[in-house]
Amino acid sequence: MELREEVGKVWLTSAKIARKAGHLSAAYSALLQAQHRKTPYTFVQAAKLVAAGGDHSRALRELEHSIRLATEADAGIIDLTGESGNDADKKLMMAKAELLRCRWAKESDQFVEREVVAMFNKPMSMMPKYVLHCLMW
């Protein structure tokens, strides 16, 4: 793994910690640093930061839009290196993002129950063991 990627992950972790501590401006600054280093899946923390600011419907829209863009980008990439470890990480991160989307959709009361269940099927098909583990806690 490259040093740039590691530094980006540290910035992303800093954004998460600052957001959870209620320091939204520090979280935003750390998030910008992670995005500058092209850290994958920064959109999840960006959406959580928007939600922490109180705009839950905008956070859900941004998360849905970013998931759609990430899915389209991944569909156009063919991995010829055979590095399956990186692929497993991508699947896990997308499953986490999809689960967050399902949770926020359920909490928003903008969707009927069958729509939320249909949304939930996607992460279940991606990482069934992880999703079941999350449901048990």
Side-chain angles (χ1 to χ4, degrees), residues 31-114:
L31 184 63
L32 288 177
Q33 290 292 332
Q35 288 173 339
H36 176 71
R37 285 163 179 78
K38 298 182 179 13
T39 307
Y41 304 102
T42 55
F43 66 86
V44 175
Q45 286 301 319
K48 287 181 177 183
L49 188 57
V50 171
D55 196 349
H56 298 282
S57 61
R58 181 175 147 224
L60 178 59
R61 283 192 313 270
E62 287 186 12
L63 183 62
E64 287 177 332
H65 178 72
S66 296
I67 288 172
R68 187 171 38 254
L69 290 177
T71 303
E72 290 171 2
D74 284 347
I77 297 174
I78 299 172
D79 185 11
L80 299 176
T81 63
E83 296 177 3
S84 60
N86 194 21
D87 189 42
D89 289 344
K90 285 182 180 181
K91 281 178 69 173
L92 179 62
M93 290 303 296
M94 282 305 292
K96 287 181 176 182
E98 289 284 353
L99 277 175
L100 181 62
R101 175 181 170 239
C102 293
R103 191 181 90 213
W104 284 356
K106 182 180 180 288
E107 291 171 358
S108 73
D109 293 330
Q110 295 177 353
F111 299 90
V112 294
E113 188 173 328
R114 72 173 182 276

Side-chain angles (χ1 to χ4, degrees), residues 5-50:
E5 292 175 20
E6 287 296 323
V7 171
K9 285 183 179 182
V10 170
W11 277 114
L12 196 58
T13 302
S14 297
K16 178 180 180 178
I17 292 168
R19 176 185 49 81
K20 286 187 172 189
H23 303 290
L24 301 185
S25 63
Y28 181 70
S29 295
L31 184 63
L32 288 177
Q33 290 292 332
Q35 288 173 339
H36 176 71
R37 285 163 179 78
K38 298 182 179 13
T39 307
Y41 304 102
T42 55
F43 66 86
V44 175
Q45 286 301 319
K48 287 181 177 183
L49 188 57
V50 171

